[in-house]
Amino acid sequence: MRVVIHPEATVRTWGRLFSSESGDTVDVVVPPLAESISDGTLAQFLKRPGDRVNADEPIAQIETDKVTIDVSSPESGVILKLLANEGDTVEPGNKIAIISRSADATHVAPSETISEKAAPQPTQKVSEEKKAPKVETAPAKEKPKTPPATLKSPTEPQLPPKERERRVPMTRLRKRVATRLKDSQNTFAMLTTFNEVDMTNLMKLRSDYKDAFVEKHGVKLGLMSGFVKAAVNALQHQPIVNAVIDGDDIIYRDYIDISIAVGTPKGLVVPVIRNADTMNFADIEKQINTFAKKANDGSLSIDEMAGGTLTISNGGVYGSLLSTPIINPPQSAILGMHSIVSRPTVVGGNIVPRPMMYVALTYDHRIIDGREAVFFLRRIKDIVEDPRRLLLDI
């Protein structure tokens, strides 16, 4: 049992879970990642040997299949040595750096490490230069052989030189996304149905109440909350879309968790709005804004992306007019939103311009029949075109 008395000991007690001490130095080790994740890739070091760090200051980032985790310094000091390289696969408990508590010793260590690594290089170059004159005559005899090689097959296609290509390892997140999408394609009997939605009334609703909404709730009223509410209502009318196949059984889920697909520079992440059926427009908008900020700075947790019963993907923010989204397992359907385009539409016998959006529902045809899929998408259309249906439950 450990008793903490001084404030500075609090940091040390927390840091000891992720470090090991040896006299003046402290070993920085990889912290626990998550229950379902056994290892990760050391993406980058944020600090270098000789840099001073404070307690709890991030010194490295580890990329897992889903999120990027910061490795923080357990104590204040100076980076003495790095024990791993960027790109290495590391596990919880692996040592990745050594921190010295004293400032004097740290400014010597970097020069020592650099000199140790740099010292062999000149000798290697000198030895190569000494050996080079002995081989000078060999390349001179081989040079005439290269031109005939290119003339033997003049009909072969001229490929770009390798110097103009770059080979970059896939990140863990990108590999995970690629695996899940391919597994989805191989597992589900995917079929997509389409419809178009007149966005006039939902856009007017937002325009009329946007100022009052921000004043009361402190968040802007967007279109996504309207589609989330519509999707919740449609799932309640077509519960089979909210179900999933598990072996020879069908699991009907009596809760509604809506996943929101968010594109980031590192890859696609899908945070989940829990119990969306119990939330109002303001709650949904606040949750979406929180997820967007976390996705951009890479601070989404694994728990925030686990589960979900239906995914909504909005390709319209990138200008997509129409697409066939891929199901996010273990869900059975995904709703695709697209860009809003003013198109001529017949209203009351007259042709008028209206803001129209194509919507798509990709579903697992093994569990969802075409009838239920069309009814589901039609319900989305009806509610978005007339949000008053939500108040009257019709």
Side-chain angles (χ1 to χ4, degrees):
M1 180 175 180
R2 181 179 296 167
V3 180
V4 179
I5 299 176
H6 301 290
E8 57 269 21
T10 306
V11 176
R12 182 176 298 179
T13 303
W14 176 86
R16 286 176 188 269
L17 296 175
F18 314 110
S19 66
S20 58
E21 302 179 11
S22 177
D24 181 63
T25 62
V26 179
D27 294 333
V28 181
V29 301
V30 179
L33 303 178
E35 294 182 0
S36 59
I37 297 179
S38 59
D39 58 22
T41 300
L42 185 56
Q44 62 174 333
F45 278 105
L46 305 178
K47 300 292 182 179
R48 296 294 172 184
D51 292 347
R52 174 168 290 281
V53 294
N54 298 319
D56 299 333
E57 183 179 359
I59 64 172
Q61 289 183 333
I62 296 177
E63 190 177 69
T64 67
D65 294 343
K66 297 182 178 180
V67 295
T68 300
I69 299 174
D70 288 337
V71 180
S72 301
S73 173
E75 295 189 19
S76 298
V78 181
I79 302 293
L80 186 64
K81 187 178 181 182
L82 302 180
L83 304 178
N85 298 319
E86 294 180 352
D88 288 352
T89 299
V90 294
E91 299 178 355
N94 288 163
K95 299 178 182 180
I96 62 172
I98 299 177
I99 294 178
S100 174
R101 295 188 180 93
S102 61
D104 296 336
T106 55
H107 295 286
V108 181
S111 59
E112 291 178 356
T113 55
I114 293 173
S115 62
E116 290 176 1
K117 295 180 179 179
Q121 294 179 359
T123 58
Q124 291 176 1
K125 291 181 179 178
V126 171
S127 61
E128 289 176 0
E129 291 174 358
K130 290 180 179 179
K131 295 179 181 179
K134 297 180 181 180
V135 194
E136 279 178 358
T137 54
K141 296 179 181 179
E142 294 179 358
K143 285 181 180 179
K145 297 180 181 180
T146 53
T150 57
L151 298 174
K152 289 181 180 179
S153 54
T155 58
E156 292 184 0
Q158 298 298 319
L159 300 177
K162 294 294 183 181
E163 291 76 11
R164 297 176 60 185
E165 298 178 352
R166 292 182 297 116
R167 183 181 292 271
V168 180
M170 293 175 64
T171 63
R172 284 215 166 213
L173 179 58
R174 173 56 57 193
K175 287 191 288 187
R176 179 63 175 170
V177 170
T179 300
R180 286 178 61 85
L181 292 181
K182 189 57 183 175
D183 290 344
S184 173
Q185 192 177 47
N186 295 338
T187 302
F188 299 129
M190 287 190 289
L191 188 63
T192 306
T193 184
F194 303 93
N195 213 320
E196 59 179 354
V197 178
D198 187 345
M199 300 292 294
T200 301
N201 291 330
L202 185 60
M203 294 176 67
K204 186 177 185 301
L205 177 70
R206 182 179 65 168
S207 177
D208 292 344
Y209 295 101
K210 61 180 181 180
D211 295 333
F213 193 87
V214 172
E215 183 179 352
K216 181 175 181 179
H217 301 292
V219 64
K220 292 182 179 180
L221 177 61
L223 298 178
M224 181 61 77
S225 58
F227 274 89
V228 171
K229 294 290 289 184
V232 167
N233 189 272
L235 288 173
Q236 292 170 339
H237 280 74
Q238 300 294 333
I240 190 64
V241 181
N242 205 47
V244 66
I245 290 179
D246 184 19
D248 295 331
D249 301 324
I250 296 177
I251 300 177
Y252 288 89
R253 294 174 285 203
D254 298 327
Y255 58 92
I256 298 177
D257 292 346
I258 302 297
S259 304
I260 305 295
V262 180
T264 69
K266 292 185 177 181
L268 181 69
V269 293
V270 191
V272 181
I273 301 177
R274 309 289 180 188
N275 300 313
D277 52 322
T278 64
M279 303 173 71
N280 56 29
F281 280 80
D283 294 334
I284 295 172
E285 290 292 350
K286 291 177 181 178
Q287 189 67 75
I288 292 175
N289 284 350
T290 300
F291 285 154
K293 293 177 182 178
K294 288 187 175 183
N296 288 330
D297 58 27
S299 60
L300 280 171
S301 67
I302 296 176
D303 292 338
E304 289 174 323
M305 294 187 289
T309 60
L310 176 77
T311 296
I312 298 179
S313 174
N314 186 8
V317 296
Y318 307 112
S320 173
L321 182 63
L322 192 63
S323 67
T324 55
I326 298 178
I327 298 173
N328 178 29
Q331 302 171 14
S332 297
I334 178 172
L335 175 66
M337 299 168 55
H338 301 92
S339 58
I340 302 173
V341 179
S342 181
R343 293 199 298 269
T345 309
V346 178
V347 179
N350 298 318
I351 300 178
V352 294
R354 287 296 180 97
M356 304 297 293
M357 174 194 288
Y358 288 121
V359 290
L361 180 73
T362 299
Y363 58 97
D364 185 0
H365 209 353
R366 299 177 305 165
I367 182 175
I368 304 172
D369 293 331
R371 174 179 176 272
E372 283 74 21
V374 172
F375 282 169
F376 176 90
L377 201 57
R378 178 71 194 192
R379 185 66 183 173
I380 297 284
K381 171 183 172 68
D382 291 342
I383 292 178
V384 173
E385 290 186 344
D386 189 1
R388 295 173 298 180
R389 289 178 177 271
L390 291 173
L391 298 176
L392 302 176
D393 192 21
I394 57 174

